Amino acid sequence: MSQAVSLLENVRIVLVHTTHPGNIGGVARAMKNMGLSRLYLVKPKHFPDEQAVWRAASALDVLDNAVVVETLDEAIADCSLVVGTSARGRRIPWPLLNPRDCAEQILPALANNEVACVFGREDRGLTNEELQRCNLHVHIPTNEDYSSLNLAMAVQVIAYELRMACLANEISHDEMEGWDAALATADDLERYFVHLEQTLIDMGFLKPKAPKQLMSRLRRLYSRKRMDELEVSMLRGILTATQAWVSKAGKGK
Ligand code: SAH
């Protein structure tokens, strides 16, 4: 295996609440054809299942090694870059890429980081909340009158573009190579957002009864930059200090 293609080992495909086990098998096959092997299943309706085995053909190893988890957060906790896929536009516009540009953006991260590509339910796709867990959104530019691809075919297109990007970049270079801190994981970011939300409530800036889209927009803002662990812990330090001030001011009243 060439070194460039071996980078694909750091990509995980995450399927959220898949209904038809045949699609899980189809995804496993699409992955193996493109050299991907790490499949995460968030609460699949039926798995293991004979139909998954039939559709996987010679990719049974991908199925056998699939990791089944209860929540999307568990599936992406240790990932530094999370890509969500969507068959249609959503209420809050997010940085939106086509699969080719997306693969180019993912490639530099692959040398030192875990990257997740997240796919939604057959009937409803990903919820807005799930999409807001993602740094980037990808849409395969399909026919506007019929935009939704079969799940395994959507995985095939993304995996193909990832493979092509690796092959085109035999010598990959990471723009963050030599960085002095590890990138923050999805788990670090979730804890940061919980802390941020609570601080904004304490300050009276975020009204829990009328939150508007404040947290969604802040999530979008932060997702445009890849923060490292030190930056997240610095921001959390600022939040803790702010909370202490707010509490002191409250006591003085
Ligand atoms: N009816 C759903 C479509 C679900 S298709 C909806 O309107 O959202 C199942 C999954 O396949 C999607 O969640 C997405 O992960 C992927 N998918 C299908 N078509 C896609 C497209 N054109 N671009 C990107 N992902 C797509």
Side-chain angles (χ1 to χ4, degrees), residues 114-159:
E114 294 281 318
V115 174
C117 295
V118 186
F119 294 81
R121 304 154 184 78
E122 292 92 333
D123 55 346
R124 290 185 295 124
L126 294 168
T127 63
N128 284 329
E129 200 183 57
E130 286 159 353
L131 282 167
Q132 286 175 18
R133 293 280 186 280
C134 305
N135 304 96
L136 297 172
H137 290 174
V138 185
H139 172 68
I140 301 164
T142 35
N143 176 359
E144 280 162 27
D145 295 332
Y146 190 32
S147 65
S148 169
L149 286 166
N150 166 265
L151 178 59
M153 296 188 187
V155 172
Q156 183 78 75
V157 172
I158 303 290

Side-chain angles (χ1 to χ4, degrees), residues 93-109:
W94 214 257
L96 184 66
L97 297 169
N98 67 41
R100 195 153 302 171
D101 293 340
C102 172
E104 265 178 29
Q105 289 221 10
I106 290 180
L107 201 61

Side-chain angles (χ1 to χ4, degrees), residues 57-77:
S58 291
L60 288 180
D61 50 335
V62 177
L63 279 190
D64 288 342
N65 293 321
V67 180
V68 180
V69 291
E70 280 292 302
T71 63
L72 174 60
D73 284 341
E74 284 171 70
I76 61 172

